[in-house]
Amino acid sequence: QVQLVESGGGLVQAGGSLRVSCIASGRTRSGYAVGWFRQAPGKEREFVAAISWDGANTYYAESAKVRFTMTRDNAKNTVILQMNSLKPEDTAVYYCAADFRGPGTWSRDYDYWGQGTQVTVSS
């Protein structure tokens, strides 16, 4: 099993930047892909970005391309989502998720989830 803890959320003005982190523990010796998802009030959880176990491949939702960058440091069991040029519509709880099968863009592709971190972008 893999345990995930997100951090780094907060309140930022539109146009600003935030970096959210996800630290993994447990069965971290095996390669696992990581995805970031977000859920705004009253909306479905949606895919934001994903990264392969070795960091060689990344995938982004259209809304995240150009503005967001996902990286990982396996030595520190840490995955980072750098978010720039934030917009009010980016406001949501951001979740990281992990799976040993490979990066996916659907919630069902991931078996392990963190508790989420709130990101609020004011206009």
Side-chain angles (χ1 to χ4, degrees):
Q1 289 206 1
V2 176
Q3 292 78 45
L4 304 168
V5 178
E6 302 96 333
S7 62
L11 173 65
V12 65
Q13 287 189 331
S17 298
L18 271 179
R19 188 173 75 165
V20 289
S21 302
C22 175
I23 297 178
S25 60
R27 188 184 157 190
T28 56
R29 285 178 174 265
S30 301
Y32 56 94
V34 177
W36 281 100
F37 291 78
R38 66 187 184 186
Q39 188 166 19
K43 294 189 176 181
E44 296 286 320
R45 186 171 298 187
E46 65 176 3
F47 170 74
V48 177
I51 192 166
S52 58
W53 71 271
D54 58 357
N57 298 295
T58 51
Y59 309 87
Y60 297 94
E62 283 299 321
S63 60
K65 284 181 181 177
V66 177
R67 299 186 300 126
F68 294 4
T69 302
M70 187 173 182
T71 57
R72 69 186 296 162
D73 183 343
N74 286 340
K76 297 180 180 179
N77 297 322
T78 300
V79 175
I80 301 290
L81 183 68
Q82 176 68 42
M83 303 183 289
N84 300 324
S85 302
L86 283 162
K87 305 174 182 179
E89 51 263 44
D90 294 317
T91 295
V93 177
Y94 282 69
Y95 299 90
C96 69
D99 199 86
F100 296 105
R101 292 166 291 180
T105 60
W106 299 93
S107 296
R108 62 175 179 261
D109 295 329
Y110 295 87
D111 286 336
Y112 306 103
W113 291 82
Q115 83 291 347
T117 185
Q118 176 71 46
V119 170
T120 302
V121 184
S122 63
S123 57

